[in-house]
Short mmCIF file of all heavy atoms in Angstrom, two decimals:
data_model
loop_
_atom_site.label_atom_id
_atom_site.label_comp_id
_atom_site.label_asym_id
_atom_site.label_seq_id
_atom_site.Cartn_x
_atom_site.Cartn_y
_atom_site.Cartn_z
N THR A 422 12.30 1.22 -13.74
CA THR A 422 12.97 0.47 -12.68
C THR A 422 13.49 -0.88 -13.18
O THR A 422 14.53 -0.93 -13.83
CB THR A 422 12.04 0.32 -11.48
OG1 THR A 422 10.77 -0.24 -11.90
CG2 THR A 422 11.78 1.67 -10.82
N TYR A 423 12.79 -1.97 -12.93
CA TYR A 423 13.34 -3.30 -13.19
C TYR A 423 12.45 -4.15 -14.09
O TYR A 423 12.56 -5.37 -14.11
CB TYR A 423 13.62 -4.00 -11.85
CG TYR A 423 14.46 -3.15 -10.95
CD1 TYR A 423 13.89 -2.40 -9.91
CD2 TYR A 423 15.83 -3.02 -11.17
CE1 TYR A 423 14.66 -1.57 -9.11
CE2 TYR A 423 16.61 -2.20 -10.37
CZ TYR A 423 16.02 -1.47 -9.34
OH TYR A 423 16.79 -0.65 -8.56
N GLY A 424 11.58 -3.51 -14.83
CA GLY A 424 10.77 -4.23 -15.79
C GLY A 424 9.80 -5.22 -15.19
O GLY A 424 9.37 -6.16 -15.86
N GLY A 425 9.45 -5.03 -13.92
CA GLY A 425 8.52 -5.92 -13.26
C GLY A 425 9.20 -7.03 -12.47
O GLY A 425 8.54 -7.72 -11.69
N MET A 426 10.50 -7.20 -12.64
CA MET A 426 11.21 -8.26 -11.92
C MET A 426 11.35 -7.92 -10.44
O MET A 426 11.37 -8.80 -9.58
CB MET A 426 12.59 -8.49 -12.54
CG MET A 426 13.33 -9.69 -11.99
SD MET A 426 12.64 -11.28 -12.49
CE MET A 426 13.37 -11.50 -14.12
N GLY A 427 11.43 -6.64 -10.12
CA GLY A 427 11.51 -6.20 -8.73
C GLY A 427 10.27 -5.40 -8.38
O GLY A 427 9.51 -4.96 -9.25
N ARG A 428 10.04 -5.20 -7.09
CA ARG A 428 8.90 -4.40 -6.65
C ARG A 428 9.06 -2.94 -7.08
O ARG A 428 10.16 -2.46 -7.30
CB ARG A 428 8.75 -4.48 -5.13
CG ARG A 428 8.37 -5.86 -4.61
CD ARG A 428 8.24 -5.82 -3.09
NE ARG A 428 7.85 -7.09 -2.51
CZ ARG A 428 8.69 -8.01 -2.05
NH1 ARG A 428 10.00 -7.78 -2.12
NH2 ARG A 428 8.26 -9.14 -1.53
N VAL A 429 7.93 -2.25 -7.16
CA VAL A 429 7.90 -0.84 -7.53
C VAL A 429 7.40 -0.04 -6.34
O VAL A 429 6.43 -0.44 -5.68
CB VAL A 429 7.00 -0.60 -8.75
CG1 VAL A 429 6.88 0.88 -9.04
CG2 VAL A 429 7.55 -1.33 -9.97
N GLY A 430 8.04 1.09 -6.05
CA GLY A 430 7.63 1.92 -4.92
C GLY A 430 6.39 2.74 -5.22
O GLY A 430 5.74 2.58 -6.25
N GLY A 431 6.09 3.65 -4.33
CA GLY A 431 4.83 4.37 -4.42
C GLY A 431 4.82 5.60 -5.29
O GLY A 431 3.77 6.19 -5.49
N GLY A 432 5.97 6.01 -5.83
CA GLY A 432 6.00 7.23 -6.61
C GLY A 432 6.99 7.16 -7.74
O GLY A 432 7.92 6.35 -7.74
N CYS A 433 6.81 8.05 -8.73
CA CYS A 433 7.73 8.11 -9.87
C CYS A 433 8.95 8.93 -9.49
O CYS A 433 9.06 9.46 -8.38
CB CYS A 433 7.02 8.69 -11.08
SG CYS A 433 6.74 10.48 -10.98
N PHE A 434 9.88 9.06 -10.42
CA PHE A 434 11.14 9.76 -10.19
C PHE A 434 11.19 11.14 -10.86
O PHE A 434 11.62 12.11 -10.25
CB PHE A 434 12.32 8.94 -10.73
CG PHE A 434 12.42 7.54 -10.19
CD1 PHE A 434 12.99 6.54 -10.95
CD2 PHE A 434 11.93 7.21 -8.94
CE1 PHE A 434 13.10 5.25 -10.48
CE2 PHE A 434 12.02 5.92 -8.45
CZ PHE A 434 12.62 4.93 -9.22
N SER A 435 10.79 11.22 -12.11
CA SER A 435 11.07 12.40 -12.93
C SER A 435 10.39 13.66 -12.41
O SER A 435 9.26 13.61 -11.91
CB SER A 435 10.65 12.16 -14.38
OG SER A 435 11.51 11.23 -14.99
N GLY A 436 11.10 14.78 -12.52
CA GLY A 436 10.58 16.07 -12.09
C GLY A 436 10.69 16.32 -10.61
O GLY A 436 10.16 17.32 -10.12
N LYS A 437 11.40 15.46 -9.87
CA LYS A 437 11.49 15.60 -8.41
C LYS A 437 12.93 15.85 -8.00
O LYS A 437 13.84 15.12 -8.39
CB LYS A 437 10.96 14.34 -7.73
CG LYS A 437 9.48 14.09 -7.97
CD LYS A 437 9.00 12.81 -7.32
CE LYS A 437 7.50 12.59 -7.59
NZ LYS A 437 7.01 11.33 -7.00
#
Side-chain angles (χ1 to χ4, degrees):
T422 53
Y423 308 100
M426 188 71 83
R428 293 180 179 93
V429 175
C433 74
F434 305 151
S435 290
K437 296 178 180 178

